[in-house]
Amino acid sequence: MRRIGIRIIAAAALALAAAACDERETPAQPAEPLPVQTPEGGDDLGRPAPREAGPTLTVIRSRGRLNCGVHPGLVGFAYTDNQGRWRGFDVDFCRALAAAVLGNPNAVRFVPVDNAQRLPALAEGRVDVLWRNTSWTLGRDGSGFDFPGVNYYDGQGFLVRRSLALASATELNGARVCVQGRSTSELNLADFFRARGIEYTPVVVRSEAEARETYIREGCDALTADVSALAAARTTFSDARAHVILPEVISREPLGPVVREGDDQWEDIVRWTLNALILAESLGVTEANLEELAESSADPQVRRLLGVEGEVGAPLGLSDAWARQAIAAGGNYGEIFDRNLGSGSMLNLARGLNALWTAEPPGVMYPAPIR
């Protein structure tokens, strides 16, 4: 039995040695190339075929206009001027989106919606997108809506009469505070005072306009809302200097466009239109110089942004000129901000967090590359 075992081991060793010799003597065979996985109709570089129009884009093209949900009237963001023309920060983003999709910044119908109406209007298809200072929250994102990006980083604050000589919101013990119902502001207000054990009386009203009116007639001691909305409200008062915004910012409010969940293409179009406007600012592309840069720029980033190099429309199902058309509608992100909210406006708000990441001081606006 022992001899048999030894023979078996010896035979195995010889077989292994022979196999090793064969490996040394046999030239290596070239490996079979792995198949390249590309989208249907794409190429080996991973460039996709033109994307077919999804349900939202199909309806918009058939209708011939974009239906954009906006605030009924908030200075700086969305309001009508003396000629009845819509103006504002969010309004300009609506026009940029219409230009990107339809090639015409005026091919847009502005649909004013209040807090209670805005999300139902989107869910029911009465609007294609909301550009209406709406905070991106978990509850909303998980309720049939998607937030393609942030066009304004805001936070909630307090507006009070200067005559009260208050230096901090923590001095509002026992105060009556006007707040719009069914809003994140109402929840943030409760959290702020509860966390600090401060007594207060909420004066809950149905709309921002009613909150402002109640505050003006002294139905409350303080008005709370996003700081940008408070700055806008103050411009409407007969004596704006008699009111001051307290230093505390009690929440983080990332405001941006909202779309219905389930149409990935439309979400991508909205996201990349916003991104293109931020990218344009970072590359120095403006409403005034974009045509010149389209002809003369040697910068590949600028050329791709303006659609004169690469296939930048196919991934979205749009023409290669989509971003160029969006910028031509009203300028880059910085131009839109300055005209409506910044130094060129009544609000004169600092860029703050809404500055580019390369600014001094830096903000958090950081565009993704178009390539």
Side-chain angles (χ1 to χ4, degrees), residues 18-89:
C21 290
D22 288 344
E23 285 181 2
R24 287 195 299 270
E25 294 170 3
T26 304
Q29 299 297 315
E32 289 292 325
L34 294 174
V36 177
Q37 299 294 323
T38 62
E40 185 178 353
D43 59 24
D44 288 351
L45 296 178
R47 292 179 298 207
R51 196 169 179 178
E52 292 186 4
T56 306
L57 182 58
T58 298
V59 168
I60 292 170
R61 284 175 169 167
S62 175
R63 186 196 301 135
R65 71 166 187 268
L66 171 74
N67 287 343
C68 198
V70 295
H71 195 286
L74 182 62
V75 175
F77 285 88
Y79 63 99
T80 53
D81 62 18
N82 293 336
Q83 285 74 45
R85 177 176 170 81
W86 280 95
R87 296 189 180 278
F89 185 70

Side-chain angles (χ1 to χ4, degrees), residues 8-171:
I8 291 172
I9 293 170
L14 288 171
L16 288 171
C21 290
D22 288 344
E23 285 181 2
R24 287 195 299 270
E25 294 170 3
T26 304
Q29 299 297 315
E32 289 292 325
L34 294 174
V36 177
Q37 299 294 323
T38 62
E40 185 178 353
D43 59 24
D44 288 351
L45 296 178
R47 292 179 298 207
R51 196 169 179 178
E52 292 186 4
T56 306
L57 182 58
T58 298
V59 168
I60 292 170
R61 284 175 169 167
S62 175
R63 186 196 301 135
R65 71 166 187 268
L66 171 74
N67 287 343
C68 198
V70 295
H71 195 286
L74 182 62
V75 175
F77 285 88
Y79 63 99
T80 53
D81 62 18
N82 293 336
Q83 285 74 45
R85 177 176 170 81
W86 280 95
R87 296 189 180 278
F89 185 70
D90 287 336
V91 166
D92 281 350
F93 282 103
C94 290
R95 290 200 173 100
L97 182 59
V101 172
L102 298 170
N104 181 1
N106 295 316
V108 54
R109 175 175 172 245
F110 296 102
V111 182
V113 286
D114 64 21
N115 261 22
Q117 296 169 339
R118 56 183 169 176
L119 293 176
L122 180 60
E124 295 162 10
R126 286 184 278 135
V127 298
D128 306 308
V129 61
L130 285 177
W131 286 93
R132 192 213 174 279
N133 61 324
T134 301
S135 298
W136 185 356
T137 67
L138 172 63
R140 289 169 178 165
D141 205 348
S143 301
F145 304 102
D146 283 323
F147 288 74
V150 176
N151 71 330
Y152 191 86
Y153 289 93
D154 209 343
Q156 186 173 333
F158 296 91
L159 181 72
V160 298
R161 292 169 184 81
R162 191 179 295 274
S163 60
L164 295 178
L166 298 177
S168 168
T170 59
E171 299 175 32

Side-chain angles (χ1 to χ4, degrees), residues 187-233:
L187 301 175
N188 294 333
L189 177 66
D191 287 349
F192 177 78
F193 285 113
R194 178 184 174 191
R196 289 158 181 80
I198 300 173
E199 295 292 328
Y200 79 106
T201 301
V203 180
V204 182
V205 296
R206 291 173 297 179
S207 67
E208 290 176 55
E210 187 176 348
R212 291 194 298 269
E213 292 165 4
T214 304
Y215 171 78
I216 286 298
R217 67 171 185 264
E218 300 190 16
C220 55
D221 307 300
L223 172 63
T224 187
D226 291 345
V227 171
S228 62
L230 296 177

Side-chain angles (χ1 to χ4, degrees), residues 48-53 57 61 264-266 268-269 313-318:
R51 196 169 179 178
E52 292 186 4
L57 182 58
R61 284 175 169 167
D264 292 343
Q265 181 201 29
W266 182 237
D268 286 346
I269 290 172
L316 298 175
L318 302 177

Side-chain angles (χ1 to χ4, degrees), residues 7 9 41 44-45 54 60 90 111 161 179 228 234 239 244 253 269 283 312-313 332 336 341 346:
R7 287 173 185 165
I9 293 170
D44 288 351
L45 296 178
I60 292 170
D90 287 336
V111 182
R161 292 169 184 81
V179 62
S228 62
R234 187 167 54 177
D239 185 2
V244 61
E253 303 298 332
I269 290 172
L283 295 174
V312 297
N332 63 39
I336 293 172
L341 306 177
M346 293 186 295

